[in-house]
Amino acid sequence: MKRFFVVGNWKMHTSPKDSLVLASAIAAHPSVQHSIHGGVRVGVCPPFTSLAATSAALAGSSIELGAQNCHTQPSGAFTGEISAPMLAMAGCSFVLAGHSERRVHCFENDALVSEKAKAIVSAGLQPIVCVGETLQERESESTFEVVRKQLSILLSHPLNLLQHAVVAYEPVWAIGTGLAATPEQAEEVHAFVCKELADRGYDVPVIYGGSVNENNAADLFAMPHISGALVGGASLHVEQFASIVSAAHRALGAGA
Ligand code: PGA
């Protein structure tokens, strides 16, 4: 049976006060509580400056705290950076690695993403490794090749970095555009990723990201290889996020 993981990526939004209000409302939401009770895993990734406030708001709930990025080194003269052990001390249980916005705007390549995944695993945290093709790559029919390349350095890493990871398939053209992949488009890539992982002995959940909302979540979750969602915009709205979490719960009940 699948286990669903629904993660809110708050990106560069929310002050500490906003985070406290948002996280408290999510934690107190009856359908979120009911879904967690029913086996859905839920997490949120606030900006670094809101980790403490969010952690306080989530205390006593089973909602997990995550971070959006980290440095490759555990400590050192790296002005402006935050390390994975620091995130562990801040209460995080997982960290995103290789989000497309970081690949594009911060020039992160596959080798760096793999070093970050290594740092996350070494700190005892779970990496959520993000992969996905651009519109141009999809149109030139190189989606599978791109995703395989993004995964390959991680798949062949001697430290088995993916063993305890989650993979997020996020087509770049669907992120923040309101234009989600259709369930069939997403499923095709998820099935491919699951096969690539299974061929190397990994049984890793693959979650979908890119314009997930309360209207499309149920159809995405009904797909056999989609095990949750990485949610950006909709995760900043309590009711929308709660609806997505509930859709995962209903999919579990339907035996997806
Ligand atoms: P979106 O973002 O849901 O706003 O498209 C998803 C993501 O970037 O993880």
Side-chain angles (χ1 to χ4, degrees):
M1 196 178 76
K2 278 200 282 186
R3 180 150 188 233
F4 284 90
F5 189 18
V6 179
V7 181
N9 172 13
W10 296 352
K11 307 194 180 186
M12 200 169 71
H13 298 289
T14 69
S15 67
K17 196 169 154 222
D18 297 335
S19 302
L20 191 75
V21 172
L22 179 58
S24 304
I26 293 171
H29 200 289
S31 53
V32 173
Q33 290 179 351
H34 187 58
S35 302
I36 291 174
H37 207 67
V40 177
R41 192 178 162 202
V42 179
V44 293
C45 302
F48 292 138
T49 49
S50 289
L51 283 171
T54 308
S55 173
L58 297 181
S61 81
S62 300
I63 299 175
E64 295 178 42
L65 186 66
Q68 300 172 19
N69 177 43
C70 69
H71 195 260
T72 57
Q73 299 302 311
S75 62
F78 299 102
T79 302
E81 296 290 343
I82 306 278
S83 74
M86 289 171 176
L87 296 171
M89 286 184 272
C92 292
S93 60
F94 67 92
V95 184
L96 307 186
H99 190 283
S100 70
E101 285 154 12
R102 296 202 59 84
R103 290 180 189 263
V104 171
H105 302 300
C106 305
F107 312 106
E108 294 193 3
N109 59 22
D110 295 334
L112 182 59
V113 173
S114 145
E115 284 303 302
K116 290 192 175 194
K118 183 175 155 199
I120 295 164
V121 170
S122 304
L125 304 178
Q126 182 176 45
I128 299 187
V129 177
C130 305
V131 298
E133 81 288 1
T134 63
L135 184 59
Q136 200 186 14
E137 289 161 344
R138 172 159 284 264
E139 283 173 352
S140 63
E141 295 184 0
S142 46
T143 298
F144 296 135
E145 195 186 312
V146 167
V147 170
R148 177 184 277 135
K149 183 177 166 294
Q150 288 170 332
L151 285 174
S152 68
I153 185 163
L154 291 148
L155 285 171
S156 58
H157 198 284
L159 291 182
N160 286 337
L161 294 180
L162 289 179
Q163 196 167 22
H164 301 294
V166 169
V167 171
Y169 168 58
E170 297 207 299
V172 179
W173 48 271
I175 296 177
T177 58
L179 191 78
T182 64
E184 294 73 23
Q185 281 174 320
E187 168 61 18
E188 192 184 23
V189 184
H190 278 245
F192 171 79
V193 171
C194 287
K195 170 121 189 8
E196 289 285 299
L197 293 162
D199 285 350
R200 286 156 181 89
Y202 294 112
D203 180 17
V204 172
V206 184
I207 65 177
Y208 169 80
S211 297
V212 176
N213 59 39
E214 74 271 40
N215 299 318
N216 59 22
D219 289 341
L220 288 161
F221 294 157
M223 294 288 135
H225 296 92
I226 299 183
S227 297
L230 181 53
V231 187
S235 72
L236 294 167
H237 305 279
V238 180
E239 289 305 327
Q240 291 181 29
F241 189 64
S243 294
I244 295 166
V245 171
S246 295
H249 187 207
R250 281 197 305 280
L252 262 186

